[in-house]
């Protein structure tokens, strides 16, 4: 369920609706997002900018929101390191193993100075490469 919640969020960020997402899964994603907004101080406007694909000028709170959300979904650990198996499995269930392996290989090196920056870089990589999942 956590993986689906993360994919719901990531999909909302890039404005790609996934047909197989249930209302229950959307509710879980909303709850996780709300919790992360409270914990990090990210605003609704910050999250809406991410949802529209705008990562320019994202502040510390927004970057830490992504860390909180991705960690809650199981895609990164507390240090912002990619959980390769979890991420690959979820993407493979939606897009096929080959495309999932390719995207995770591109995005798994999300080096950065701290957990928030590493998770944010993972999100940016996903957004830059998401078209490869579709075609």
């Amino acid at each position: 369920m956590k993986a689906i919640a993360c994919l719901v969020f990531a999909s909302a960020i890039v404005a790609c609706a996934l047909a197989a997402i249930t209302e229950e899964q959307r509710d879980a994603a909303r709850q996780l997002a709300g919790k992360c907004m409270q914990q990090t101080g990210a605003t609704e406007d910050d999250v809406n900018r991410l949802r529209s694909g705008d990562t320019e000028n994202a502040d510390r709170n927004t970057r830490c929101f992504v860390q909180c959300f991705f960690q809650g979904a199981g895609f990164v650990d507390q240090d912002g390191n990619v959980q390769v198996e979890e991420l690959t499995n979820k993407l493979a269930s939606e897009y096929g193993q080959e495309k999932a392996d390719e995207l995770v290989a591109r995005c798994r090196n999300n080096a950065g100075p701290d957990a928030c920056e590493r998770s944010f870089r993972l999100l940016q990589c996903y957004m830059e490469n998401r078209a490869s999942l579709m075609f």
Side-chain angles (χ1 to χ4, degrees), residues 55-110:
T55 60
E56 290 281 323
N57 304 314
D59 65 9
R60 178 79 179 161
N61 292 349
T62 304
R63 291 167 189 258
C64 289
F65 168 84
V66 175
Q67 162 60 21
C68 176
F69 197 96
F70 280 7
Q71 182 181 353
F75 284 180
V76 299
D77 64 15
Q78 67 185 16
D79 296 320
N81 299 311
V82 176
Q83 299 301 288
V84 173
E85 187 175 333
E86 182 74 25
L87 184 56
T88 302
N89 288 341
K90 180 55 193 156
L91 291 172
S93 72
E94 298 293 331
Y95 302 105
Q97 192 67 47
E98 185 178 332
K99 289 181 180 189
D101 288 341
E102 182 181 323
L103 183 68
V104 172
R106 282 187 204 162
C107 296
R108 72 185 292 171
N109 184 14
N110 61 330

Side-chain angles (χ1 to χ4, degrees), residues 2-47:
K2 288 194 275 185
I4 291 170
C6 184
L7 190 58
V8 169
F9 174 71
S11 296
I13 288 174
V14 298
C16 294
L18 295 175
I21 304 245
T22 67
E23 191 59 38
E24 180 181 313
Q25 293 162 335
R26 285 188 184 131
D27 287 344
R30 284 186 204 112
Q31 288 176 9
L32 180 57
K35 175 186 146 211
C36 291
M37 288 171 66
Q38 285 181 324
Q39 285 182 355
T40 64
T43 67
E44 192 171 333
D45 286 341
D46 296 332
V47 174

